[in-house]
Amino acid sequence: MMAEFLGDVERLLADAYPYRWPIAAGVLILLAALGAFVYRMGWHEVIWRFRLPVAIVATPVLALTLFLGYDLGSPLFTNKTVEEEFPFAFTATVPSNMSRSEVERIMELIAQVEQEAVEEEIPIMDEPTDDPPDPPAALEKLRTGSFRDQDNFHKGSGQATIYRGPDGSLLLRLEDLDVTNGPDLHVLLSPHPDPSNSGEVKTPGYVDLGKLKGNRGNQNYPILEDIDVAAQGSVIIYCKPFKVVFSVASLQDAS
């Protein structure tokens, strides 16, 4: 119940976001008027007379308010960029006597040795580009979609693509992601093609792929092989504490 209430409050704040500056000015005027009224009525003398009990009550309340405000609100005003390449082992065929993590480790060591071997050479640099590298040819693109704004406050852009590797393993890759940050954001798959609330997001068969690594950049999220990705209709950036949808990418077959 508390989470749903917080979500309703967060959605109300999102609706009011375009009017934030007039609202801020109104709040300041209201606080000034309230302070003047308290002073005129002489209540400040009462507060001063009982300053010790007032301080005992007000200090923990203020500290808790500031802590919750910072913990829940600060992500809305900060950004975290995560840049990940395609996993080495995802494009390779894993031998039956080895695990994917072992292949990943070996290929990382090989890449490190090759880098050390040519570190004294002067590389020929291509023109810089902001475009993400093309996926390896061995990957099969299954489903894809573009993130979009959820409302005036919760904004999102970028591409979500589900790939299948040579050994059948599945991977969700987010590219050029740029979504409004928030507290405890998660990446979800849902059978619903265009969810706008918690009930639609959590349609039977939805999958939580884990915490969003960063609200910007290129990122990878493994998908369990027993998940029927053909039945998944969307990728959602979802705030778990407030049960709020931040951005949705409706999925279509890539072929």
Side-chain angles (χ1 to χ4, degrees), residues 132-169:
D134 293 332
L139 298 182
E140 180 184 2
K141 185 186 292 187
L142 301 179
R143 294 174 68 75
T144 187
S146 298
F147 285 104
R148 58 183 177 274
D149 297 346
Q150 188 65 17
D151 50 47
N152 290 328
F153 182 76
H154 305 106
K155 298 180 178 294
S157 62
Q159 198 75 11
T161 306
I162 296 177
Y163 293 94
R164 179 161 52 211
D167 63 345
S169 56

Side-chain angles (χ1 to χ4, degrees), residues 53-203:
V54 169
I56 292 174
V57 173
T59 299
V61 172
L62 179 61
L64 180 61
T65 301
L66 292 175
F67 172 78
L68 291 177
Y70 178 80
D71 185 59
L72 298 177
S74 61
L76 298 175
F77 306 99
T78 60
N79 293 300
K80 181 180 180 181
T81 301
V82 174
E83 296 291 350
E84 293 183 334
E85 301 290 344
F86 274 93
F88 288 125
F90 186 71
T91 60
T93 300
V94 179
S96 59
N97 62 338
M98 297 181 66
S99 66
R100 179 163 293 279
S101 60
E102 290 173 334
V103 174
E104 182 83 23
R105 179 58 180 162
I106 290 174
M107 296 187 75
E108 287 179 352
L109 291 174
I110 293 174
Q112 183 177 354
V113 170
E114 291 177 348
Q115 181 178 3
E116 292 174 352
V118 299
E119 63 181 0
E120 294 184 358
E121 297 181 6
I122 300 176
I124 300 175
M125 302 299 293
D126 296 328
E127 290 295 325
T129 176
D130 294 330
D131 296 332
D134 293 332
L139 298 182
E140 180 184 2
K141 185 186 292 187
L142 301 179
R143 294 174 68 75
T144 187
S146 298
F147 285 104
R148 58 183 177 274
D149 297 346
Q150 188 65 17
D151 50 47
N152 290 328
F153 182 76
H154 305 106
K155 298 180 178 294
S157 62
Q159 198 75 11
T161 306
I162 296 177
Y163 293 94
R164 179 161 52 211
D167 63 345
S169 56
L170 299 170
L171 180 78
L172 170 66
R173 180 162 173 83
L174 308 183
E175 294 184 327
D176 296 327
L177 179 68
D178 189 353
V179 66
T180 303
N181 206 355
D184 198 19
L185 296 182
H186 279 236
V187 180
L188 274 60
L189 293 175
S190 175
H192 197 291
D194 188 17
S196 60
N197 56 60
S198 179
E200 293 177 345
V201 168
K202 296 182 178 179
T203 299

Side-chain angles (χ1 to χ4, degrees), residues 7-8 11 150 188 190 192 194-203 206 234 236-239 242-246 248:
D8 291 337
R11 279 184 285 270
Q150 188 65 17
L188 274 60
S190 175
H192 197 291
D194 188 17
S196 60
N197 56 60
S198 179
E200 293 177 345
V201 168
K202 296 182 178 179
T203 299
Y206 85 95
S234 59
I236 306 105
I237 307 301
Y238 182 74
C239 175
F242 289 167
K243 298 184 178 180
V244 173
V245 176
F246 272 52
V248 174

